[in-house]
Amino acid sequence: MGSSAAELRASSRVSLPADQAGVRRNNLSLVLRHLRDQGPRSRADIAAETRLNKATVSSLVAELQHRGLVREAGLRQQGGIGRPARIVELDGGRVGALGLEVNADYLAAYATDIAGRVLVDRRKSFDAMTASPAESIARLAGTAQRALAEMERLGAPAAGVTVAVPGLVDTASGVVIFAPNLGWANVPLATLLATALASPPLPIRVDNDANLGALAEFWSGAAAGTAHMVSVTGEVGVGGGIIVDGHLLRGADGFTGELGHLPVDPAGDECGCGRIGCWETKVGLAALVRNAAPDLAYGTVPLRDPDERLSRVLHRAGQGDVRATAALQEVGRWLGVGASMLINLFNPRVIVLGGYFARLMCHIEATLHGELDRLVVAGPAARYAVVASTLGFGAAVRGGAGVAVEAVLNDPTRVARDEEVKLGRT
Amino acid sequence: MGSSAAELRASSRVSLPADQAGVRRNNLSLVLRHLRDQGPRSRADIAAETRLNKATVSSLVAELQHRGLVREAGLRQQGGIGRPARIVELDGGRVGALGLEVNADYLAAYATDIAGRVLVDRRKSFDAMTASPAESIARLAGTAQRALAEMERLGAPAAGVTVAVPGLVDTASGVVIFAPNLGWANVPLATLLATALASPPLPIRVDNDANLGALAEFWSGAAAGTAHMVSVTGEVGVGGGIIVDGHLLRGADGFTGELGHLPVDPAGDECGCGRIGCWETKVGLAALVRNAAPDLAYGTVPLRDPDERLSRVLHRAGQGDVRATAALQEVGRWLGVGASMLINLFNPRVIVLGGYFARLMCHIEATLHGELDRLVVAGPAARYAVVASTLGFGAAVRGGAGVAVEAVLNDPTRVARDEEVKLGRT
């Protein structure tokens, strides 16, 4: 965050692990990331570019090969003189990463290998709001088991799992502290899921869906790589994830971006949370459906996929239904009010609207920008864009898989060596 | 921000300057900061602790001595064997740093030397709201000239100046883009002040007052060193500065923390900015005085220092004046509403209330915490404290002086060598 090179050097010194195993782990990570980001190259190139010495690089590459993360990729003539160099490259296809999601009205699974090939991409309706936590977790475990089997079949067994949840999560323990739209409080999800999955033991992380969605937007979304970005995602609840200087803002306890319950209207409606005038009562999908098409509201008709519910509302608006049209514009107006707050506080370069907001964009863009023009304090000096997410309802699971990929890149020793796997299986 | 050591190493490699002068500058900075933070020590200790080699450290120390930033501090026996080591220490008393502030109703100057000794600390009433920008800048230049002369007299001429302004600033150019409570728009303050000060040429920075206030809180305030902190400062306007992972959050364009005009009440009063229901209309000093004591409101009585205006309101409340008491509690309630938004979005460990809010704290604390208990989504899981600033109205100027100190610590070559000074003067 604007640190000078000297500050970074000082911090890097302080945070370097004192033990040799830690140094080795960091160097394995450095070489693996280098191959992923820079492409196939010789050991000598890696040494020159990472400033590690050549003998160390050879040893690191050998270990990464044993772990199935790097492979030989033939010979390449370099600069026209001398012997051709032996090239190594990322071998990303043998290690997988799984993202899961339990949300108010669906379960989802998404898996890739380390190189980014999609192995599983599945979402199904599920009424988590009426199910007990135990029922939901049993269903989630079933979804997970099918995904894990599919990954195994495709030759990329999972090295890690991340579960996205619409609520407050203690990421260190994997406990869901509070998820009002699931009706969960203090659910030790990581432990319960690990028990349900039985074996093999897999690292299971749990994280807030909006945080994972923001990471997915940063890694692979419509504004990927934007260092200052706020991702806002609308479903029944509304969540936010904030990227600051290319990193997810986690705050002191991991509870950032809780924007669904920002009090925006003291004279507004009562929210599901019991408070008055929360932003969610203005822009949440349940609020839109209730105002646009009361006959389709949550609780009045059998559960539908959020996409389907939204399609019905958009269809009515397209047919000139006054009530649906007015409700959409009201959501656009309040999205503008909330987005202006985020711009005034975080000054992002991009706001990404995800979840159901993405499909709304073309209908509400003018209304939303009218509010932003009125409410952004810095006016045109703040150079922001508001873009629709291209990840649909899949942002959180993608982010979850991405977090599991990052865990391998950060610590390649999490992936067993070939001989360890064989020993484990005999 | 949760970066792994490997990530930090990778970034540090990327951001290391390629040129030798840059490397030298960073190493000078490293040694100077080390002496400031760790205290007097031998060249050999510095080498061991910074991992620079001994010859390099000797050369760096020699250069820092020439620049008047480091001095010999005698001999010290180390470990009981061998020759005593020659000790060097920070020589902070010969280089000064000046913070200035122009706010709605006062001008201020605050200067320290590099070691933190206070050289100048002055604030005077000034009605910037009715003065033209040119008049204000002429008065500010006069304040600056007196401070610079005093610093020279005390043996610590200024190496840099930072001006705090209650508005949006383009820090790269030193242009005040918009400062509604001063009535300024697109004022090239750095250039105009440099012209008014004539000589010697000094680096002049301009920055938002709330950002500088947050830095002062982080460096030397009641919650100094808290990595996740939001500083909220109330004067006529209301501003915020946000510390994330120990760094000031600047966002994409430098316009973060603009919380005075968050729309918190669609049915509220019109703000000075023309919008409806801004947070400033609920908690700004002008709003408090207008509601608590209309006869003392801005515009109705001759200008008073904000402290004096507030004292009159607190006095009336202390005497049981119903109107004043109710207005104070209303500010407490709305401070709670706004603070809950900041906690829900940033999840800071501490919120520091500065400016006039600090003096209000003991009167409104219960009301404020009542609102926080109701509105913080994470409830007790978010472990925050709300503390009153101890820096009074002086946070911004202190932050300004601090920024000028940091500039010297980041690049000690900004301070002329002895012989350069002599050459310049002959």
Side-chain angles (χ1 to χ4, degrees):
Chain A
M1 308 194 62
S3 313
S4 71
E7 283 175 86
L8 281 170
R9 290 180 60 195
S11 341
S12 113
R13 284 208 176 91
V14 170
S15 59
L16 275 179
D19 60 301
Q20 286 306 306
V23 171
R24 176 86 181 173
R25 205 156 53 224
N26 286 338
N27 287 340
L28 286 167
S29 171
L30 188 62
V31 170
L32 187 60
R33 282 186 183 277
H34 195 72
L35 283 173
R36 186 194 60 161
D37 298 340
Q38 306 297 325
R41 61 228 303 108
S42 70
R43 291 166 178 79
D45 287 342
I46 297 170
E49 292 157 358
T50 61
R51 302 194 199 173
L52 293 168
N53 80 49
K54 287 186 191 177
T56 304
V57 168
S58 290
S59 157
L60 295 167
V61 166
E63 177 167 350
L64 291 169
Q65 285 177 303
H66 279 303
R67 295 189 187 277
L69 293 164
V70 161
R71 65 183 167 214
E72 297 289 342
L75 298 171
R76 186 190 292 165
Q77 188 66 46
Q78 301 214 308
I81 51 163
R83 287 189 305 170
R86 284 164 55 212
I87 301 298
V88 290
E89 65 182 9
L90 180 71
D91 181 9
R94 293 159 66 184
V95 177
L98 175 60
L100 298 170
E101 180 177 10
V102 50
N103 216 303
D105 45 16
Y106 62 85
L107 295 172
Y110 181 90
T112 69
D113 64 23
I114 299 296
R117 177 177 53 129
V118 179
L119 308 170
V120 175
D121 187 1
R122 195 172 296 140
R123 184 160 64 91
K124 51 166 43 165
S125 291
F126 172 68
D127 190 354
M129 289 195 280
T130 59
S132 71
E135 286 167 331
S136 297
I137 291 166
R139 286 288 299 272
L140 183 68
T143 303
Q145 257 149 351
R146 280 186 293 280
L148 292 170
E150 181 72 4
M151 295 167 75
E152 187 96 28
R153 199 183 62 75
L154 291 167
V161 178
T162 314
V163 191
V165 177
L168 299 168
V169 177
D170 177 9
T171 53
S173 65
V175 172
V176 179
I177 297 171
F178 184 48
N181 292 325
L182 300 180
W184 291 14
N186 295 311
V187 173
L189 180 55
T191 307
L192 293 174
L193 187 60
T195 307
L197 290 180
S199 69
L202 269 174
I204 298 179
R205 288 170 201 80
V206 182
D207 208 336
N208 174 268
D209 60 347
N211 279 348
L212 293 173
L215 286 171
E217 295 294 348
F218 181 67
W219 287 327
S220 61
T226 304
H228 292 274
M229 180 198 295
V230 177
S231 159
V232 182
T233 180
E235 326 223 338
V236 169
V238 176
I242 295 134
I243 303 286
V244 164
D245 265 327
H247 295 271
L248 182 67
L249 178 68
R250 290 211 176 261
D253 306 293
F255 307 139
T256 53
E258 288 297 328
L259 39 77
H261 302 282
L262 291 183
V264 295
D265 184 3
D269 294 335
E270 184 171 345
C271 181
C273 72
R275 301 181 188 91
I276 299 295
C278 296
W279 195 39
E280 205 165 291
T281 67
K282 304 292 189 182
V283 300
L285 179 55
L288 170 67
V289 176
R290 196 169 53 243
N291 293 330
D295 55 309
L296 301 177
Y298 281 79
T300 60
V301 287
L303 177 96
R304 281 190 178 76
D305 191 89
D307 263 343
E308 198 186 328
R309 221 179 272 266
L310 178 60
S311 294
R312 299 276 289 269
V313 170
L314 293 178
H315 178 74
R316 288 190 193 182
Q319 305 239 308
D321 181 302
V322 174
R323 183 161 204 158
T325 307
L328 282 177
Q329 295 315 311
E330 190 66 2
V331 167
R333 203 170 74 70
W334 280 104
L335 264 179
V337 171
S340 81
M341 292 185 166
L342 299 173
I343 293 171
N344 288 335
L345 291 174
F346 293 100
N347 183 208
R349 179 68 70 228
V350 173
I351 290 194
V352 182
L353 295 182
Y356 101 85
F357 294 145
R359 288 187 60 203
L360 232 57
M361 265 298 268
C362 62
H363 302 277
I364 59 166
E365 206 159 11
T367 304
L368 188 156
H369 277 284
E371 288 299 278
L372 290 178
D373 290 347
R374 191 171 72 80
L375 294 170
V376 170
V377 171
R383 291 170 296 132
Y384 59 84
V386 182
V387 305
S389 171
T390 54
L391 305 179
F393 287 94
V397 272
R398 278 168 191 259
V403 164
V405 168
E406 286 294 303
V408 172
L409 294 175
N410 285 340
D411 180 5
T413 65
R414 286 163 179 273
V415 179
R417 285 163 175 270
D418 286 348
E419 56 269 40
E420 291 167 357
V421 174
K422 283 187 202 112
L423 281 173
R425 282 183 181 165
T426 53
Chain B
M1 309 195 57
S3 312
S4 70
E7 283 176 86
L8 281 170
R9 290 181 61 195
S11 344
S12 113
R13 285 210 174 89
V14 170
S15 60
L16 273 179
D19 59 301
Q20 286 306 306
V23 171
R24 176 84 182 175
R25 204 157 52 225
N26 286 338
N27 287 339
L28 286 167
S29 170
L30 188 63
V31 170
L32 188 60
R33 282 187 183 278
H34 195 71
L35 283 172
R36 186 194 60 161
D37 297 340
Q38 307 298 326
R41 61 227 304 108
S42 70
R43 290 166 180 78
D45 288 342
I46 296 171
E49 291 156 359
T50 62
R51 302 195 200 172
L52 293 168
N53 79 50
K54 287 187 192 175
T56 304
V57 168
S58 291
S59 158
L60 294 167
V61 167
E63 178 167 348
L64 291 169
Q65 286 177 302
H66 279 304
R67 294 189 188 277
L69 293 164
V70 161
R71 65 183 167 214
E72 297 288 343
L75 297 172
R76 188 191 292 164
Q77 188 68 44
Q78 303 214 306
I81 51 164
R83 286 189 306 172
R86 283 164 54 211
I87 302 298
V88 289
E89 66 181 7
L90 180 70
D91 182 8
R94 291 159 67 184
V95 177
L98 175 60
L100 297 170
E101 179 178 10
V102 49
N103 216 304
D105 45 16
Y106 62 85
L107 296 172
Y110 181 89
T112 69
D113 63 24
I114 299 296
R117 176 178 54 130
V118 179
L119 308 169
V120 174
D121 186 1
R122 195 171 295 140
R123 184 160 65 90
K124 52 166 42 164
S125 291
F126 172 68
D127 189 355
M129 289 196 278
T130 60
S132 70
E135 286 167 332
S136 297
I137 292 166
R139 286 290 299 272
L140 183 68
T143 303
Q145 257 149 352
R146 279 186 294 281
L148 292 170
E150 182 72 3
M151 294 166 75
E152 187 96 29
R153 200 183 62 75
L154 292 167
V161 178
T162 312
V163 191
V165 177
L168 299 168
V169 177
D170 177 9
T171 52
S173 65
V175 172
V176 179
I177 296 172
F178 184 49
N181 291 325
L182 300 180
W184 292 14
N186 294 312
V187 173
L189 178 56
T191 307
L192 293 174
L193 186 60
T195 307
L197 290 180
S199 68
L202 268 174
I204 298 179
R205 288 170 201 79
V206 182
D207 208 335
N208 173 268
D209 59 348
N211 280 347
L212 293 173
L215 286 171
E217 295 295 348
F218 181 67
W219 288 326
S220 61
T226 304
H228 292 273
M229 179 198 294
V230 176
S231 157
V232 182
T233 179
E235 327 221 338
V236 169
V238 176
I242 295 133
I243 303 287
V244 165
D245 264 328
H247 294 273
L248 181 67
L249 177 68
R250 290 210 175 261
D253 307 292
F255 307 140
T256 54
E258 288 296 329
L259 39 79
H261 302 281
L262 291 182
V264 295
D265 184 1
D269 294 335
E270 185 171 345
C271 181
C273 73
R275 301 182 187 88
I276 300 295
C278 296
W279 196 39
E280 203 165 291
T281 67
K282 305 291 188 183
V283 300
L285 179 56
L288 170 66
V289 177
R290 195 169 53 242
N291 293 329
D295 54 308
L296 300 177
Y298 281 79
T300 59
V301 286
L303 178 96
R304 281 190 179 77
D305 193 271
D307 263 341
E308 198 186 328
R309 221 178 272 266
L310 178 60
S311 293
R312 299 276 290 270
V313 170
L314 293 178
H315 178 74
R316 289 190 192 180
Q319 305 240 308
D321 180 303
V322 174
R323 181 162 204 156
T325 306
L328 281 177
Q329 294 315 310
E330 190 66 2
V331 167
R333 202 170 74 72
W334 281 103
L335 263 180
V337 172
S340 81
M341 292 185 166
L342 299 173
I343 293 170
N344 287 335
L345 292 174
F346 293 100
N347 183 209
R349 181 67 71 229
V350 173
I351 289 193
V352 182
L353 296 181
Y356 102 86
F357 295 144
R359 287 188 60 201
L360 232 57
M361 266 298 268
C362 61
H363 303 276
I364 60 166
E365 206 159 10
T367 305
L368 188 157
H369 277 283
E371 287 299 280
L372 290 178
D373 290 346
R374 192 171 72 79
L375 294 170
V376 170
V377 171
R383 290 169 297 130
Y384 58 84
V386 182
V387 304
S389 171
T390 54
L391 305 179
F393 288 93
V397 272
R398 277 168 192 260
V403 164
V405 168
E406 286 295 302
V408 172
L409 294 174
N410 285 340
D411 180 5
T413 66
R414 286 163 179 273
V415 179
R417 285 164 176 270
D418 285 348
E419 57 269 38
E420 291 167 357
V421 174
K422 283 187 201 114
L423 281 171
R425 282 182 179 164
T426 52

